[in-house]
Amino acid sequence: MTENIELTHQQKRAFQPQKLSAPRDFTIPSVIKNSNSNMPLVLEIGAGKGKHALSFAAEHPDKHLIAIERTRNKFEAFTKQFEQRLPDNLTPIHADAIAWTVHALPPNCLTSIYLLYPNPEQHNLNQQWLNMPFFEFLLSRLQIGGTVILATNIDTYMDNAVEQASTVWALPNKRYKIAIESQRTHFEVKYLARRETCWELVMTKPQGYKTRFDDWCANNV
């Protein structure tokens, strides 16, 4: 058993959650407020038009997914599909994911986090998820044994993510080639139809893992 894992990142610039304002019209979903709920809580950042979110909710009735999308037109398309099905274990959120996560989620509340085909930010590498100071805060919201699932069709993005996961974040991880028949998101369908290689990285938060935000909560959480 590993105890008190020290992050290389803790020697670098820290994320500053106290400087972020809550999103417009912000409310905390009842599934988070209800501390008596035993349903595992899952987060998807960048849900797009909701293809993965809706499928996940249907396939995992024992889990509750919070799916965040910032872009208005994608979120509206997501909402239309959601309203046709109204799964009670899915909560769509239209907001900036960083500000929303800071103000809505308490520490140690998530069992999984999905980052499926994020913007590769090839001209601003500091904005890739595992390069951002915010990633440490995100890990503080994840339970021990929980997973972060990242998917991309960009080889260099995946190569960097594997290196960062191992050397900076000290996360046990496995890299997989995504099966050609997979259809989790609209991007995944498009890329695989082009015969592009898509990759998935599964990172696990190990026993004894510590971040600088394990005890930090926004005033409204």
Side-chain angles (χ1 to χ4, degrees):
M1 180 181 295
T2 304
E3 295 293 341
N4 298 323
I5 295 170
E6 182 178 355
L7 302 180
T8 302
H9 181 76
Q10 289 188 0
Q11 302 172 9
K12 300 180 181 180
R13 179 171 63 92
F15 179 64
Q16 299 184 53
Q18 71 280 4
K19 293 188 175 182
L20 286 183
S21 300
R24 181 180 298 180
D25 301 323
F26 173 76
T27 59
I28 298 178
S30 59
V31 67
I32 297 174
K33 291 181 179 179
N34 182 8
S35 59
N36 295 322
S37 174
N38 293 320
M39 184 174 285
L41 193 62
V42 178
L43 177 68
E44 180 178 1
I45 294 178
K49 297 179 180 179
K51 182 175 175 60
H52 172 260
L54 290 160
S55 296
F56 183 95
E59 294 169 6
H60 301 277
D62 59 332
K63 298 179 181 181
H64 192 106
L65 176 63
I66 295 174
I68 305 176
E69 175 54 45
R70 180 176 61 182
T71 307
R72 178 173 295 279
N73 63 339
K74 291 182 180 178
F75 184 76
E76 289 175 351
F78 181 8
T79 301
K80 288 180 181 178
Q81 294 295 316
F82 173 78
E83 290 176 347
Q84 290 176 11
R85 309 183 198 185
L86 293 177
D88 58 9
N89 63 330
L90 174 59
T91 302
I93 299 290
H94 182 215
D96 174 81
I98 294 177
W100 190 91
T101 297
V102 164
H103 284 273
L105 296 179
N108 194 44
C109 68
L110 301 172
T111 59
S112 298
I113 300 168
Y114 284 88
L115 304 168
L116 302 180
Y117 302 94
N119 186 329
E121 301 287 0
Q122 292 174 298
H123 300 294
N124 189 4
L125 300 182
N126 289 332
Q127 293 299 309
Q128 292 185 2
W129 283 111
L130 275 79
N131 292 347
M132 297 171 65
F134 169 72
F135 195 72
E136 182 182 356
F137 185 91
L138 191 61
L139 292 175
S140 75
R141 310 297 103 167
L142 187 65
Q143 296 173 4
I144 296 297
T147 55
V148 181
I149 299 96
L150 171 71
T152 182
N153 67 318
I154 306 295
D155 288 351
T156 54
Y157 193 114
M158 180 55 64
D159 292 342
N160 176 70
V162 170
E163 181 178 358
Q164 295 292 96
S166 300
T167 63
V168 175
W169 302 110
L171 297 171
N173 61 87
K174 292 185 178 181
R175 175 177 180 168
Y176 302 95
K177 184 177 179 180
I178 295 172
I180 192 71
E181 63 270 16
S182 186
Q183 297 186 355
R184 287 179 300 183
T185 77
H186 291 94
F187 283 126
E188 191 162 87
V189 171
K190 179 173 69 173
Y191 299 146
L192 292 174
R194 294 176 181 170
R195 299 293 176 176
E196 296 182 24
T197 299
C198 293
W199 299 101
E200 177 173 284
L201 183 65
V202 179
M203 297 161 272
T204 304
K205 185 175 178 179
Q207 187 71 31
Y209 200 90
K210 304 293 182 183
T211 80
R212 289 172 283 190
F213 305 102
D214 291 344
D215 299 316
W216 193 94
C217 280
N219 293 332
N220 43 289
V221 175

